Amino acid sequence: YNKPSEGFDKLYLEKEVTENDIFYVSGTESVYSGPTTKYPVIGSVSDETVEVYDKNYEGTNVIYYIRYDVDGYDTKKTGFIIY
């Protein structure tokens, strides 16, 4: 991921997650490798809780930089969901 010139200040995963950073995704959402739908889809989240590391507004869209569990593995992945 190449950091955009505006918006997301710091995307390093060094901050501690608090309960304010927990977000429930209702339904199924695509996870993108970058902060717009022009980036490739790298996964999806569906009816699950994710950790939000940053949030930005772009026009009418809300963009979340998240970390989520990978089904069937004991690992996590990061990406963007766009509403």
Side-chain angles (χ1 to χ4, degrees), residues 2-45:
N2 294 316
K3 181 178 178 283
S5 59
E6 302 180 357
F8 296 92
D9 295 327
K10 191 174 183 182
L11 298 181
Y12 303 107
L13 301 180
E14 58 191 38
K15 84 174 204 175
E16 280 193 42
V17 176
T18 67
E19 46 183 78
N20 293 331
D21 301 319
I22 302 299
F23 180 74
Y24 183 77
V25 177
S26 182
T28 301
E29 295 292 334
S30 295
V31 178
Y32 295 89
S33 64
T36 71
T37 56
K38 293 179 182 178
Y39 286 85
V41 173
I42 57 170
S44 65
V45 290

Side-chain angles (χ1 to χ4, degrees), residues 20-79:
N20 293 331
D21 301 319
I22 302 299
F23 180 74
Y24 183 77
V25 177
S26 182
T28 301
E29 295 292 334
S30 295
V31 178
Y32 295 89
S33 64
T36 71
T37 56
K38 293 179 182 178
Y39 286 85
V41 173
I42 57 170
S44 65
V45 290
S46 180
D47 297 320
E48 64 186 277
T49 302
V50 299
E51 300 168 358
V52 176
Y53 283 94
D54 205 352
K55 178 168 79 171
N56 194 18
Y57 300 92
E58 185 72 36
T60 59
N61 292 331
V62 181
I63 306 163
Y64 294 91
Y65 181 59
I66 64 164
R67 185 166 77 166
Y68 61 101
D69 293 319
V70 178
D71 285 343
Y73 297 94
D74 187 26
T75 189
K76 294 186 181 275
K77 202 172 181 182
T78 60

